[in-house]
Amino acid sequence: MVKRFLAGAVCLLSATSAFAEPAPTPPVAAKKPHQVAAPFGAVREDEYYWLRDDTRKNPDVLSWLAAENSYADGQLARLTPLKDTLFKEITGRIAPDDSSVPYRQRGYLYYRRFAAGQDYPVTARRKGAMTAPEEVLLDQPAMAKGKGFFSIGAWEVSPDNRYVAYAEDSVGRQQFRLKVREIATGRIVDETVANIEDALVWADDNRTIYYIDKDPVTLLSKRVKAHVIGTPASDDRLIHEEKDDSFYISLKRTASDKYACIFLWSTTSNEARCAPASGKGEFTVFAPREKGWLYNVDHIGDRWLVWSNHQAPNYRLMSVPDTAQTADRTQWRDLVAPSDTAFIEAFKPFNGFVAIEERVNGNKRIRLLANDGKSTSVAADEPAYTMTLDTNAEPATDWLRYRYESMVTPPTIYEVNAKTGERRQLKRQPVPGYDPAQYVTERVWATARDGTRVPVSLVHHRKFHRNGTAALYQVGYGAYGSSYDPAFNIAWPSLADRGMVVAIAQIRGGQDMGRAWYDNGRLMKKMNSFTDFIDVTRHLVAQKYAAPRRTAGFGRSAGGLLMGTVANMAPEDYGVIVTQVPFVDAVTTMLDPTIPLTTNEYDEWGNPEQKPAYDYILGYSPYDNIAAKHYPAIYVSTGLWDSQVQYYEPAKWVARLREKKTGDNPLLFRVQMEAGHGGKSGRFRRYEEQAEYLAFMMDQLGVAQ
């Protein structure tokens, strides 16, 4: 993969020189006949299919991408002062030498710290107390030096505290390499295993590491293997091979530290396989997978806890004693019964209580359930907020650590005592120059066209007047059951300070209002996600939060599918559309099982090899529904090495939009040549593109500077 990247970089340099001056007119991609056929006989013409180059080395493709970057540079040149101002404002809200709250595990306090001006943190620990000498685990600034992209995924310290195993990606394709470092000496003792997922678990022998091997073509998680430090990767023992390509794989040790578990999960079915963490026993199935049945497990004391949708659309929490046959559901007992109003999303067991993440009325909150059955919810003071469980590495404590934030309140780490209710603030993320008292967050409800009430979280300046003249920045996602929680974003004060309103449309397709919220926004009900977003825009305009056609829509990845479809369905409602790594070529991608993620997602979008699903997806696929119409201004970005939404999806979309759209509204395509799905790496560099597209957005909406 590194060789491929270097070869592509050489081609890019030669291609870029041919487009050194900003192009006065948009690049025009050649049209080449190509047909995409479905198994049942349907055929579509895809004249820009040639822009797909899996090697990332085709000089014609790289030249066209370079021309798009050059054209974007030329069109955005006049906005450089605003972009620089925004970048300075946004990064100015990042504390230059910030550090995390230490957490305790096996006698050590672990934390990470940023030095002033550094893009990457140092991960370190101290034995017993923060006054002890520092031991560096991962000096990421040094490790990232000279790399165009750098990311550390999972890292885990061995049970004897001697080694740190970590997953490293230096391309952006999420094909990690396993490395093992001896902490005391800093010496790398193993780096033979490549192309793995971002998940690692140690066995108790301090020599064996469980990891997930990826398919080199589809990048699907396929096999769980056991690697012994110092032995060749070819000797790694196969633990499990997943034959069903609709399943993902993850790993973890249980809260009790007694078991290592493999989790196999898809949209509609899960399975757990666990073994003693000693590494001496076999992995056995906790309960066999069934279509439509989802569950997750953890272990504490002498019992298993099971989170399950068994006769519970919003999930229930159950207990199974160690002595029971875990697959026999008649032996499972409710700890938290099913609810129509509270959706259980996650849980964390402790010796004396269980912490539960649940969603109620569009907000995520935390509830504490004591072993004696007493239940209490952690209080919040704002109408729209997010609580999430923080790092709680040791279960033998009465204190739960959690994170609280809102669109006004920066991330704040609290501890709450499960017995007394006492709460103490450990840290609030420092945001230099930011005064939360100057901003207001709201929760409003928009009525969708089918009568459904959609939660919307807002933030604006305290001096904002709701008079129907403001510009609106509306964001959304609406897929995979992934909720768009009202969280703090360090860029948004720059919008609110200029009189804008920022809105999170918590549309169907997420799980903001429970599992039914997700089910009503996927498969043959996917259209609800798109109409919800449009109806939220129209509601906010009608309620005078914004002026007509002064709305910017933003979404990334599956949220890019949202943006592309919204642009086709209601271009007159938006002044500008901004989308990153957008999934916009849904039919062609879902017809190709060799593309990463395709087979995993048949239960999300449908399998277009079947005609009903084909026809439904074709009805909204952004690439397939481009027409000769007056689109709003559009900013699109992608990463050449994206493994989740391949760069050629937005490339083809832009090419066809250029051909068909009417009017003079700009269409810009920014290609990050050294990045993947997450964009540029590093805590400062990631905001360079954000400053650029925000400047473009403000300019198109006429936001006063």
Side-chain angles (χ1 to χ4, degrees):
M1 183 59 71
V2 173
K3 290 182 179 178
R4 284 184 182 180
F5 172 75
L6 291 174
V10 171
C11 290
L12 173 65
L13 290 173
S14 61
T16 303
S17 62
F19 297 94
E21 295 299 323
T25 58
V28 176
K31 298 171 67 174
K32 302 180 182 181
H34 182 88
Q35 291 186 327
V36 178
F40 56 87
V43 176
R44 293 157 46 250
E45 194 65 38
D46 190 351
E47 67 278 15
Y48 298 111
Y49 190 89
W50 69 271
L51 288 169
R52 173 176 177 173
D53 170 32
D54 292 346
T55 69
R56 275 76 171 167
K57 294 191 292 186
N58 184 306
D60 291 336
V61 172
L62 291 172
S63 292
W64 185 76
L65 296 177
E68 285 287 357
N69 274 335
S70 182
Y71 176 70
D73 289 341
Q75 295 297 302
L76 293 167
R78 64 183 180 82
L79 297 178
T80 299
L82 176 57
K83 181 188 74 172
D84 292 346
T85 296
L86 290 170
F87 181 75
K88 184 177 180 181
E89 288 178 9
I90 295 167
T91 56
R93 298 188 188 106
I94 301 173
D97 54 356
D98 196 16
S99 61
S100 65
V101 179
Y103 66 88
R104 188 177 300 276
Q105 186 172 29
R106 298 192 188 102
Y108 285 84
L109 291 166
Y110 289 87
Y111 59 96
R112 68 175 193 169
R113 56 175 174 80
F114 283 97
Q118 292 286 1
D119 264 317
Y120 302 95
V122 170
T123 303
R125 70 181 186 182
R126 297 175 191 265
K127 188 172 184 178
M130 289 301 288
T131 54
E134 181 179 79
E135 300 177 27
V136 173
L137 279 66
L138 301 169
D139 185 353
Q140 293 190 43
M143 296 162 69
K145 194 167 294 183
K147 295 182 175 69
F149 181 93
F150 177 77
S151 176
I152 294 294
W155 61 269
E156 297 288 342
V157 173
S158 59
D160 65 359
N161 295 315
R162 181 180 176 186
Y163 299 107
V164 58
Y166 58 96
E168 179 181 309
D169 178 10
S170 58
V171 176
R173 193 116 173 106
Q174 298 193 24
Q175 291 177 284
F176 292 88
R177 177 176 289 275
L178 169 62
K179 295 189 176 183
V180 183
R181 184 188 302 271
E182 187 176 46
I183 298 172
T185 64
R187 180 173 60 96
I188 298 292
V189 298
D190 201 304
E191 52 180 341
T192 62
V193 181
N195 191 39
I196 70 168
E197 289 281 9
D198 178 18
L200 304 169
V201 166
W202 285 92
D204 287 344
D205 65 358
N206 303 297
R207 302 288 298 172
T208 303
I209 302 169
Y210 299 113
Y211 68 91
I212 303 166
D213 185 41
K214 303 182 77 163
D215 185 282
V217 177
T218 66
L219 305 189
L220 294 175
S221 48
K222 293 297 295 180
R223 290 162 289 274
V224 177
K225 292 185 174 182
H227 176 70
V228 177
I229 297 174
T231 64
S234 57
D235 290 349
D236 291 353
R237 178 166 53 100
L238 178 65
I239 303 297
H240 173 74
E241 182 167 10
E242 182 53 46
K243 303 294 186 181
D244 188 336
D245 282 346
S246 68
F247 279 77
Y248 294 96
I249 307 176
S250 58
L251 302 171
K252 78 171 184 181
R253 282 177 73 119
T254 59
S256 65
D257 232 14
K258 292 181 180 179
Y259 298 93
C261 292
I262 301 168
F263 294 95
L264 308 157
W265 51 280
S266 69
T267 302
T268 61
S269 180
N270 293 357
E271 184 175 274
R273 296 169 177 239
C274 299
S278 64
K280 296 179 180 179
E282 296 297 319
F283 282 82
T284 59
V285 176
F286 185 90
R289 67 186 75 175
E290 293 180 18
K291 189 76 171 178
W293 182 46
L294 300 166
Y295 77 96
N296 196 357
V297 302
D298 205 343
H299 184 269
I300 194 75
D302 58 359
R303 62 177 178 165
W304 290 91
L305 299 186
V306 184
W307 169 87
S308 169
N309 71 339
H310 175 57
Q311 298 179 345
N314 280 340
Y315 294 85
R316 67 204 309 162
L317 193 61
M318 309 182 83
S319 176
V320 188
D322 282 350
T323 55
Q325 293 291 326
T326 58
D328 181 3
R329 280 183 251 172
T330 64
Q331 300 189 51
W332 300 8
R333 296 292 179 265
D334 271 338
L335 290 178
V336 180
S339 168
D340 292 332
T341 58
F343 170 67
I344 301 174
E345 192 158 76
F347 69 97
K348 178 70 177 180
F350 293 77
N351 289 355
F353 65 99
V354 181
I356 300 167
E357 279 187 8
E358 61 183 9
R359 293 187 178 278
V360 178
N361 290 327
N363 289 324
K364 183 189 281 190
R365 71 182 187 187
I366 290 176
R367 182 152 57 104
L368 304 180
L369 177 65
N371 287 355
D372 63 8
K374 181 181 177 182
S375 176
T376 56
S377 295
V378 178
D381 301 322
E382 295 174 289
Y385 61 87
T386 302
M387 292 184 194
T388 53
L389 298 171
D390 199 58
T391 302
N392 292 274
E394 298 185 330
T397 177
D398 294 329
W399 291 92
L400 169 76
R401 184 176 293 187
Y402 70 96
R403 173 178 169 134
Y404 176 93
E405 61 186 307
S406 74
M407 296 177 78
V408 167
T409 304
T412 307
I413 305 300
Y414 288 101
E415 282 187 335
V416 61
N417 191 291
K419 287 185 175 178
T420 66
E422 178 188 352
R423 187 179 74 164
R424 55 196 185 199
Q425 180 177 317
L426 302 181
K427 179 187 177 180
R428 174 160 290 172
Q429 178 181 311
V431 185
Y434 173 74
D435 178 7
Q438 297 303 309
Y439 306 90
V440 175
T441 186
E442 298 183 46
R443 163 64 55 74
V444 301
W445 297 83
T447 302
R449 60 195 66 185
D450 65 357
T452 301
R453 296 177 73 239
V454 180
V456 186
S457 300
L458 303 172
V459 67
H460 54 72
H461 200 278
R462 185 165 294 280
K463 295 180 180 179
F464 168 75
H465 295 290
R466 184 152 60 97
N467 57 16
T469 64
L472 170 67
Y473 185 69
Q474 181 177 313
V475 303
Y477 188 73
Y480 303 111
S482 180
S483 303
Y484 208 136
D485 292 310
F488 186 74
N489 186 306
I490 63 169
W492 290 350
S494 291
L495 278 57
D497 289 347
R498 291 167 171 82
M500 296 188 67
V501 177
V502 178
I504 299 174
Q506 296 174 256
I507 58 179
R508 282 173 282 186
Q511 292 186 134
D512 309 69
M513 298 289 289
R515 177 71 184 194
W517 203 249
Y518 173 39
D519 290 335
N520 284 316
R522 70 182 181 97
L523 294 175
M524 306 299 272
K525 297 181 180 180
K526 185 62 204 169
M527 196 63 72
N528 286 333
S529 301
F530 314 131
T531 55
D532 281 359
F533 191 88
I534 295 166
D535 293 342
V536 166
T537 301
R538 292 173 179 173
H539 174 84
L540 294 176
V541 169
Q543 295 300 310
K544 298 188 180 302
Y545 282 97
R549 293 174 295 282
R550 287 199 79 199
T551 296
F554 174 85
R556 72 183 320 275
S557 195
L561 170 71
L562 172 69
M563 290 301 102
T565 306
V566 164
N568 284 331
M569 293 176 64
E572 68 282 355
D573 284 277
Y574 300 90
V576 59
I577 293 289
V578 176
T579 179
Q580 295 180 294
V581 294
F583 172 48
V584 285
D585 190 18
V587 179
T588 302
T589 291
M590 294 305 295
L591 279 172
D592 188 347
T594 69
I595 294 176
L597 308 187
T598 292
T599 54
N600 292 99
E601 300 188 355
Y602 289 147
D603 287 323
E604 178 70 28
W605 313 107
N607 183 353
E609 293 183 6
Q610 301 163 2
K611 190 175 187 303
Y614 180 96
D615 291 341
Y616 191 82
I617 299 171
L618 187 63
Y620 65 73
S621 174
Y623 182 60
D624 294 288
N625 287 279
I626 295 170
K629 60 179 65 176
H630 192 77
Y631 286 91
I634 300 177
Y635 178 104
V636 186
S637 69
T638 191
L640 182 64
W641 296 97
D642 195 335
S643 62
Q644 291 171 260
V645 179
Q646 307 295 311
Y647 79 89
Y648 44 81
E649 288 201 42
K652 291 164 54 179
W653 184 51
V654 167
R656 187 175 278 180
L657 274 171
R658 289 211 187 284
E659 175 198 353
K660 292 184 177 293
K661 79 181 189 71
T662 62
D664 298 324
N665 286 333
L667 169 60
L668 303 183
F669 187 31
R670 174 65 72 200
V671 186
Q672 304 293 346
M673 306 304 290
E674 294 183 309
H677 195 65
K680 292 182 178 180
S681 59
R683 64 169 178 158
F684 294 107
R685 293 178 63 208
R686 58 182 295 212
Y687 294 109
E688 293 172 358
E689 184 185 345
Q690 186 175 29
E692 180 175 274
Y693 69 67
L694 290 179
F696 175 78
M697 177 272 294
M698 289 179 180
D699 180 67
Q700 293 300 313
L701 295 184
V703 175
Q705 303 311 314

